[in-house]
Amino acid sequence: MASFKLLVPLLLAVILFFSGCAQPQKADLTIYTYDSMASEYGLGPAVIEAFEAQCDCNVHMIAKGDAGQVLSTALLEKGKPKADILIGIDNSMLSHMYKADVLEKFTPKNISIVPENLRFDKEGYLTPYDYGYIAFVYDTTKVNVPMDSFDSLLDSSLEKKIAIQNPRTSSPGLALLLWTVAVYGDPGYKDFWKKLKPNILTVTDSWDQSAGMFAQGEVPIYLSYATSPPYYSQFEDKNYFLAAGFKEGHYIQVEGMGIVKGTKNRALAEKFIEFSLEKKFQQEIPLHQFMYPVNKGVELPASFRQYALFPQKQLELDPKLVDEKEEKWILEWEKIMLSG
């Protein structure tokens, strides 16, 4: 009897040990995105906690440089994916996404939230979550040229004062190239770039690098977004950094997210994408992403209403034309930029 009494606590300990081990582990969702999204002050940290509480899971948001590098990384891992979702693939990169063949089709149950004109991927691989317009942001205390057209960028006073991004590695960089094609046509865009080249100080691989140079005062003009000025007003109290409104119009950028082909967390990935269209997610976009939310039910903050540029004329090229001509346009651009 004494020996049995001694065994009881031991048996209970064993039962408790194994029952503890049997507790199901939380699911892990891995997301690849661009640097600013995953940064300390980016949209990622602002929405991840809310989704984790909703799904009882762990979300790992991993920065991979710019959107182009996000897609390149997924392509390198094709067949053995490490990510479940890609965030940041935009309308300018649509042909690259199709060719990479790294995403699975998915239509969220709440897709009706997104206006038809913003659903840029008609094949159904990407779900839009925000949008904006490409624009040149400039320091009005240092730039004395009226910044109202592409011709403004050609002024001799701006020699080596502009930072842009590489269209091979950066989504806004590619959008800029497409923007010039939309305005000047082909081959007219090449003449514009030849004239612009003397005023370009540097071509960075990512938007973050150009933005950093602007922040440090290394350049008074850089390629950014029409919604960038609200950031400088809201967080740096600088109301003299403005977006130049061009009479030619502005190229629209719609950003999307998609499910990686071969993911083992398809159901969880679907839930996250549907969550991205809800107000909990969408209301964080203006002051973290500094883009417009696709959910029209979200009220824009005062800084957006006062300082964001909403172009009267929206430009965009036919995706089929971009698919056909993009590589040619980039090669011609590279020849111009590398010429003596």
Side-chain angles (χ1 to χ4, degrees):
M1 183 66 70
S3 59
F4 177 77
K5 288 181 179 179
L6 290 173
L7 282 173
V8 170
L10 180 60
L11 288 169
L12 287 173
V14 171
I15 291 169
L16 288 171
F17 174 80
F18 282 104
S19 64
C21 292
Q23 291 294 319
Q25 290 187 331
K26 288 185 177 181
D28 289 301
L29 186 72
T30 301
I31 298 171
Y32 285 173
T33 189
Y34 46 83
D35 289 348
S36 59
M37 167 77 77
S39 70
E40 181 182 356
Y41 303 104
L43 177 63
V47 298
I48 282 176
E49 188 174 334
F51 182 70
E52 286 179 330
Q54 182 174 306
C55 71
D56 192 29
C57 64
N58 296 312
V59 178
H60 308 282
M61 188 168 276
I62 302 173
K64 290 293 180 181
D66 214 312
Q69 293 160 300
V70 170
L71 188 59
S72 298
T73 304
L75 185 56
L76 288 172
E77 296 174 359
K78 189 174 180 179
K80 295 182 179 179
K82 297 179 182 178
D84 303 301
I85 292 176
L86 302 186
I87 292 182
I89 312 302
D90 68 12
N91 53 313
S92 298
M93 300 174 63
L94 201 55
S95 61
H96 293 277
M97 185 273 292
Y98 290 147
K99 289 174 184 175
D101 190 28
V102 294
L103 297 180
E104 298 179 353
K105 289 186 178 182
F106 172 61
T107 301
K109 295 175 184 175
N110 53 352
I111 190 63
S112 60
I113 289 172
V114 182
E116 284 284 352
N117 68 306
L118 296 179
R119 300 182 206 177
F120 64 96
D121 177 18
K122 304 307 180 185
E123 297 296 319
Y125 292 95
L126 292 167
T127 299
Y129 62 91
D130 71 11
Y131 73 103
Y133 300 89
I134 303 301
F136 283 89
V137 171
Y138 67 107
D139 184 339
T140 59
T141 67
K142 296 179 180 179
V143 176
N144 299 315
V145 180
M147 296 293 289
D148 57 4
S149 71
F150 271 106
D151 284 344
S152 306
L153 299 174
L154 306 181
D155 193 277
S156 59
S157 67
L158 301 181
E159 184 176 358
K160 301 219 177 292
K161 290 186 176 179
I162 301 173
I164 63 171
Q165 295 100 54
N166 191 326
R168 283 210 183 274
T169 57
S170 163
S171 56
L174 177 57
L176 172 60
L177 178 57
L178 300 182
W179 186 11
T180 60
V181 174
V183 170
Y184 293 101
D186 183 2
Y189 79 100
K190 291 189 283 187
D191 292 330
F192 171 77
W193 277 100
K194 289 173 185 176
K195 295 175 184 176
L196 180 63
K197 183 183 174 184
N199 289 357
I200 296 174
L201 174 65
T202 187
V203 179
T204 63
D205 286 334
S206 71
W207 174 87
D208 294 80
Q209 292 170 316
S210 293
M213 293 181 68
F214 181 77
Q216 294 299 317
E218 296 175 42
V219 288
I221 304 173
Y222 80 111
L223 177 68
S224 191
Y225 296 91
T227 44
S228 294
Y231 165 80
Y232 297 110
S233 171
Q234 185 89 23
F235 294 107
E236 297 186 7
D237 198 27
K238 294 176 180 176
N239 298 331
Y240 49 89
F241 292 166
L242 301 179
F246 285 1
K247 61 185 179 184
E248 296 92 343
H250 289 255
Y251 205 84
I252 189 171
Q253 182 185 38
V254 187
E255 295 186 302
M257 61 178 73
I259 300 174
V260 177
K261 181 178 283 189
T263 174
K264 295 178 181 178
N265 293 308
R266 167 91 190 199
L268 190 56
E270 290 181 1
K271 287 180 181 178
F272 184 87
I273 291 178
E274 289 174 345
F275 170 74
S276 76
L277 301 180
E278 296 173 7
K279 278 192 177 181
K280 274 185 182 179
F281 186 106
Q282 290 284 305
Q283 68 188 5
E284 300 293 344
I285 285 174
L287 294 183
H288 285 95
Q289 195 67 8
F290 287 91
M291 296 281 275
Y292 291 110
V294 297
N295 187 325
K296 297 303 181 183
V298 173
E299 183 179 356
L300 294 174
S303 57
F304 261 67
R305 297 194 298 272
Q306 188 169 0
Y307 294 106
L309 171 69
F310 198 93
Q312 295 299 309
K313 187 176 181 181
Q314 175 180 305
L315 299 175
E316 188 174 11
L317 292 174
D318 185 326
K320 291 182 180 178
L321 179 63
V322 175
D323 183 42
E324 179 186 346
K325 299 286 188 178
E326 181 184 312
E327 183 60 24
K328 170 185 172 291
W329 292 334
I330 292 177
L331 285 171
E332 292 293 341
W333 177 86
E334 288 173 337
K335 287 179 185 177
I336 294 167
M337 299 307 292
L338 293 172
S339 62

